[in-house]
Structures are given as structure tokens and as C-alpha cells.
Amino acid sequence: MEESRNPFRLSHLPDSASTQNTKRFNVDGYGSRGSSLTAGLKKRSHGSRSWTKVDKNGNSKILKLDKATIMRHCSLPARDLRLLDPLFIYPSTILGREKAIVVSLEQIRCIITADEVILMNSLDGCVVQYQSELCKRLQTNRDQAEDLPFEFRALELALELICMSLDSQVKQLEMEIYPVLDELTTSISTLNLERVRRLKGHLLALTRRVQKVRDEIEHLMDDDGDMAEMYLTEKKEKSEAYTLSDRCLGTDTSGEATMISKSAPVSPVESISGAQNSQRAFNSIVSLSKYGSITGSSDRGENIEQLEMLLEAYFVVIDNTHSKLLSLKEYIDDTEDFINIKLGNVQNHLIQFQLLLTAATFAAAIFASVTAVFGMNFSDSIFDYPSMFNWVLVITGGACGFLYFSFLYFLRHRKVFPL
């Protein structure tokens, strides 16, 4: 009887299949890698996994549960459980269902119900911190009245830890990237450029993660229906109240039927009065149910506002973290623009130097050609006067210099570069 009442039955995985697959992989090598991996995936998809259950009192218990048990207990479809599978990487998601809230925020993957939290058992630091902090808070506030229901407290802790984790990662990235960027502005080298490229890749990946969490919280804040689905305690209380009223109604009708059957023949007047009494009782129950639905709808509005305030608080935190990442990205872009401007300036100086060198080479080539002509072995009257050759050199050098400065003046006039 206890096993039938408790949906979380302990089960153990058979180790023979995994051992045989491992041996086959070791013997066959690469040939059976695909088959062993497929068998392992099938085994994990149909078998049990280790979960940690935390109740309202802060007591934790490690259980072996399969997907079918969790789906029956939490009324979840199989696609929601895929979000919790550690073999797959899904973006951050918060889903409100009929009896549970499916939370997949970074490393924290859990199912929150009105009475317990079913957490994926993992050795990750964030998961261990969530489990220990949740148990600590529930045990500390066990005898105190809480404004938030159990599921909102569990969801709040998950949002708090994820926001703190992402913010700490952003701060660590800032501490790493600012010195590298400052060093890059003073010394442009291949090593510094490689470090900036690696840090920029981390920045883009972290920005996508923060953006997804921010978008998910904003989506919940914009949809009142999704927030209403997440109030599990209210839905549970209403369901229990409806069940109790149905039982009371069934007891009253069965009691009246028994008394009428055991009594003597009833006159038509008495039967009419009994029917009127039954109609009055039914009308009173309907009016009570209508009144309860009206009050429940008003309470639902207050609870939606309460959950919206909770989500808005953490939306401000994650939006601040997102703003830090955008500022850091803008700083990187400004640094890249500065480096490009600096490199462009250096390139312009090189072009200027190349133009000056080309003009000087052109003038020197003319002077060299004149000296080459006079260096040939031919007879001429000019060689009878040694001073005449000096005049040739002076005139040729002056002409080359005039040509060089004329070239520079032309470049300055065309505003190729200032001189």
C-alpha cells in the first residue's frame, strides 16, 4: 500500500548493459562507437536518474526516478522533461504548468510543485548552493508566516542565484578585459590581439546567456496567463475545496435518499417540500462556489501582481548586468576603432615616407644617368678643361634638387600630405 501511494519508488539501473557496451567499445575500438553511444542514450532515456527532492520543511532526499513517474506525478509532457536533460543544452526557460513549474536556468534545472522541489542531482557548484540554501531558508522560516507561497520562494532563490552568478561572471570578465584593452592601446601586438579576441568571444557567449534570461523574465511579466498558471498553491487549495464540497454534497444526497427509502409512503406535499429543500441546498452550494470563484479571481489578480513585483525585481538586476555587458562591448568597439585609426595613421605616414623616397630616388636617378654619360670612354673637347666637369656636376645636382622640391610642392598643393 505504501508503495502504491508514494509516486517516488526507488529503482536501480541494471549495470550489465552499460558494462557490456563499455567492453565492446574497448575491444572493437572506433568501429562500435556509434552503437555504444546510441545504446547509452536509449538507456538514459528509458532508465532512472538521480534526483533530489526538497519538501516544505527543508528536508532533502535523493531518489531514483524515471520519466514516467515524474510525468504522472507532476502532470508534465515529455517535451518539458527534455529541458532538464543534462545531455542537451537548451536556453534558459521558465514554464508554468497545471501542477508544476519547470525551471531551466543555466545549471539549475528543477521541477517546482506546491509542496516540493524535484532537483536534478548534480555536483555543480550552483546546484549544490541552490539545494543547501533552499533547505536552510525553509528550515529557518518553518514557523514564520511567509508572504510568498512555497513555489515562489523556490523560484525566487533560483533567480537570485542565477542573477548573482551571471553578475559575478561579468565582473570577473571586466577585471580581465580592461587591463588587456589598456595594454593593447599602448602596444599593438599579436599576443594582445589574440587575448582580446578570446575575451571578446567569452563576452558574446555571456551576453547571449544573460539576454536569454532577461527575455524569459520579460516574457513572463508581459503574459498574465503564464503568471496565473504559476500560482500552484492557490490552484491546489481550490481543488481541495471543490473536492470537499463534492463529498459533502454526495453525503447529503445519499442521506436524504436513505431516509426517504426507509420511511413510510410519502404524500405528494411532503415530496414537493423535500424537492424544494434539495433545490435550496443545491442553489446555496452553487452560490458559495460562485462566491469562491469571484474571491479566487480577485486573489488571483493580487497574486499575479505579487509575482510580477518579484519578477520585476530580478528583471532590474539582470537588466543591469546586461547593461554592463553592453558597456563592455562598446568599450571594446571603441578600442578597436582607436586601434584602426592608429594603424591608419601609421599607414599614412608610411605612404608619405614612400612618396618622399620615390621622389628622391627619381632625382638621384637623373643625376646618376648624367654621371654615367660622362663616365663613358669617348673623346670630346670638354675633357680638355677639367673645371668644366665640375660645372656639369653642379648644374645637374641643382636641377635634380629643383625637380625634387617641385615634386614636393606639387604633392602639398594637391593636399596629398601636409609638409
Side-chain angles (χ1 to χ4, degrees):
M1 293 295 292
E2 294 179 355
E3 294 181 355
S4 60
R5 292 178 182 176
N6 188 9
F8 302 112
R9 293 178 297 176
L10 298 177
S11 61
H12 301 281
L13 286 173
D15 298 331
S16 59
S18 60
T19 306
Q20 292 177 1
N21 290 333
T22 305
K23 290 181 179 179
R24 183 180 178 184
F25 175 77
N26 293 333
V27 173
D28 297 339
Y30 292 98
S32 60
R33 171 179 286 185
S35 60
S36 62
L37 181 59
T38 305
L41 289 174
K42 290 182 179 180
K43 176 176 174 291
R44 292 180 63 87
S45 61
H46 295 286
S48 301
R49 287 197 181 96
S50 179
W51 299 81
T52 301
K53 186 184 75 171
V54 181
D55 56 8
K56 286 186 175 181
N57 297 324
N59 301 320
S60 62
K61 183 187 298 183
I62 299 177
L63 303 173
K64 289 285 187 178
L65 304 175
D66 55 356
K67 287 186 177 180
T69 304
I70 298 176
M71 291 167 59
R72 287 195 305 267
H73 178 69
C74 302
S75 300
L76 293 176
R79 62 177 180 272
D80 291 343
L81 292 182
R82 281 196 293 269
L83 298 174
L84 310 178
D85 199 332
L87 293 178
F88 301 99
I89 300 176
Y90 290 97
S92 298
T93 308
I94 301 175
L95 300 176
R97 295 296 185 244
E98 182 65 25
K99 293 184 180 180
I101 300 175
V102 180
V103 179
S104 177
L105 294 174
E106 298 291 324
Q107 295 84 8
I108 299 178
R109 302 183 181 186
C110 61
I111 302 173
I112 302 174
T113 63
D115 300 321
E116 59 197 6
V117 175
I118 305 173
L119 182 67
M120 178 72 71
N121 192 12
S122 175
L123 297 178
D124 189 84
C126 193
V127 178
V128 174
Q129 184 181 4
Y130 176 78
Q131 177 185 351
S132 60
E133 186 67 21
L134 180 61
C135 295
K136 180 180 178 181
R137 292 186 181 184
L138 293 176
Q139 292 174 359
T140 303
N141 302 325
R142 183 183 302 176
D143 299 330
Q144 299 178 2
E146 290 289 340
D147 296 335
L148 294 175
F150 172 76
E151 62 271 14
F152 287 176
R153 284 183 285 167
L155 179 61
E156 180 185 12
L157 180 58
L159 291 173
E160 179 182 351
L161 292 180
I162 291 302
C163 291
M164 290 175 57
S165 175
L166 293 175
D167 189 67
S168 63
Q169 293 180 30
V170 171
K171 290 180 179 179
Q172 184 179 1
L173 186 61
E174 288 178 347
M175 295 175 61
E176 292 180 1
I177 203 168
Y178 278 124
V180 175
L181 292 176
D182 294 338
E183 186 179 356
L184 182 61
T185 54
T186 57
S187 175
I188 302 175
S189 62
T190 305
L191 179 61
N192 292 334
L193 290 174
E194 179 63 26
R195 292 170 63 186
V196 172
R197 186 193 64 82
R198 179 176 55 83
L199 292 175
K200 188 175 181 180
H202 294 170
L203 173 65
L204 294 177
L206 187 58
T207 303
R208 286 194 296 266
R209 292 163 54 193
V210 173
Q211 181 70 37
K212 183 55 184 175
V213 176
R214 179 181 178 275
D215 293 343
E216 188 64 26
I217 297 176
E218 186 177 9
H219 172 72
L220 290 176
M221 292 171 58
D222 293 338
D223 197 336
D224 294 342
D226 289 345
M227 287 191 291
E229 286 291 332
M230 296 173 66
Y231 199 84
L232 305 178
T233 302
E234 181 180 355
K235 292 192 290 186
K236 181 181 178 182
E237 292 175 355
K238 285 185 178 181
S239 177
E240 293 177 353
Y242 292 156
T243 304
L244 182 61
S245 63
D246 292 341
R247 290 180 180 177
C248 293
L249 180 61
T251 304
D252 293 339
T253 54
S254 63
E256 291 180 359
T258 303
M259 292 176 64
I260 291 173
S261 62
K262 289 183 179 180
S263 61
V266 184
S267 62
V269 178
E270 292 177 352
S271 62
I272 293 173
S273 63
Q276 292 177 354
N277 293 331
S278 300
Q279 184 67 25
R280 290 175 184 174
F282 180 75
N283 291 333
S284 63
I285 292 173
V286 171
S287 63
L288 287 175
S289 63
K290 289 182 179 180
Y291 176 74
S293 63
I294 294 172
T295 57
S297 61
S298 62
D299 293 340
R300 178 67 61 87
E302 295 178 357
N303 291 324
I304 289 176
E305 183 178 358
Q306 188 180 24
L307 177 58
E308 187 175 5
M309 293 176 62
L310 172 64
L311 295 175
E312 186 176 358
Y314 289 99
F315 178 78
V316 172
V317 176
I318 199 67
D319 187 66
N320 185 26
T321 304
H322 187 259
S323 300
K324 291 181 181 179
L325 291 172
L326 293 181
S327 300
L328 189 58
K329 186 177 183 300
E330 291 178 358
Y331 188 77
I332 293 177
D333 294 338
D334 294 341
T335 305
E336 290 179 349
D337 294 338
F338 175 75
I339 292 173
N340 291 329
I341 293 172
K342 191 174 181 179
L343 292 176
N345 189 24
V346 172
Q347 187 176 5
N348 291 334
H349 285 294
L350 291 176
I351 293 174
Q352 293 175 8
F353 179 74
Q354 185 179 4
L355 288 175
L356 295 175
L357 187 61
T358 302
T361 304
F362 178 70
I366 295 177
F367 185 81
S369 62
V370 173
T371 57
V373 169
F374 281 92
M376 291 183 181
N377 188 11
F378 64 92
S379 60
D380 194 89
S381 61
I382 195 173
F383 293 105
D384 297 336
Y385 305 96
S387 60
M388 292 298 295
F389 184 73
N390 296 331
W391 283 104
V392 171
L393 295 179
V394 171
I395 293 172
T396 304
C400 291
F402 176 78
L403 181 63
Y404 176 73
F405 285 107
S406 300
F407 183 72
L408 296 182
Y409 178 78
F410 174 76
L411 293 177
R412 182 180 180 183
H413 178 70
R414 297 298 298 269
K415 297 181 180 179
V416 176
F417 55 88
L419 293 174

